């Protein structure tokens, strides 16, 4: 092969390689744009679904607070309020949906009153929790807090058989 033909072949091969590389980059970029658009649509749909779930949960929570507010109006002691909440645990669970319900809790007369009857919460300080701090800033308005995971002891998880749903929005 003549040197001129050889350099021409190298030039053609180089141009072909560059064109192939450019086409590959363009295809990869186009695919990335498609994936980015699909991810944005999915994220937007998930946000709408979450907002609807939170709105439904909030409306149920508001209904549950009516009898609680009526009980508070009678000015019960902390222990009486705690017993009343625990006596209403099944009613609350059925009203909300047992697959979503995660207990009713509130600060009351310096303590942490809750509807469930397991665990020792005598030293629990909700003031340190992000959900409590957000609720305190809301000035009495309900606040929907992003889902978060919390720790339950193995005995509670086993006894509960998966009924504790930390993936649901919390409302305070």
């Amino acid at each position: 092969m003549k040197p001129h033909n050889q350099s021409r072949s190298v030039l053609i091969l180089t141009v072909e390689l560059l064109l192939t590389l450019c086409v590959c980059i363009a295809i990869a970029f186009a695919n990335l744009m498609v994936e980015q658009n699909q991810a944005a649509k999915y994220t937007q749909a998930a946000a709408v679904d979450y907002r609807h779930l939170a709105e439904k949960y909030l409306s149920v929570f508001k209904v549950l607070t009516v009898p609680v507010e009526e009980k508070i109006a009678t000015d019960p002691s902390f222990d009486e309020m705690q017993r009343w909440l625990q006596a209403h645990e099944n009613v609350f669970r059925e009203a909300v949906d047992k697959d979503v319900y995660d207990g009713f809790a509130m600060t009351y007369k310096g303590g942490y009153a809750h509807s469930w009857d397991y665990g020792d919460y005598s030293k629990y300080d909700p003031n340190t929790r992000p959900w409590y701090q957000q609720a305190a800033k809301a000035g009495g308005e309900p606040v929907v807090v992003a889902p978060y995971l919390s720790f339950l002891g193995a005995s509670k998880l086993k006894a509960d058989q998966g009924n504790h749903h930390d993936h649901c929005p919390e409302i305070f």
Side-chain angles (χ1 to χ4, degrees), residues 137-154:
K137 289 178 185 174
E141 292 298 314
V143 176
V144 177
V145 189
Y148 65 94
L149 295 176
S150 61
F151 175 78
L152 288 176

Side-chain angles (χ1 to χ4, degrees), residues 130-141:
W131 55 262
Y132 183 90
Q133 294 164 356
Q134 289 179 28
K137 289 178 185 174
E141 292 298 314

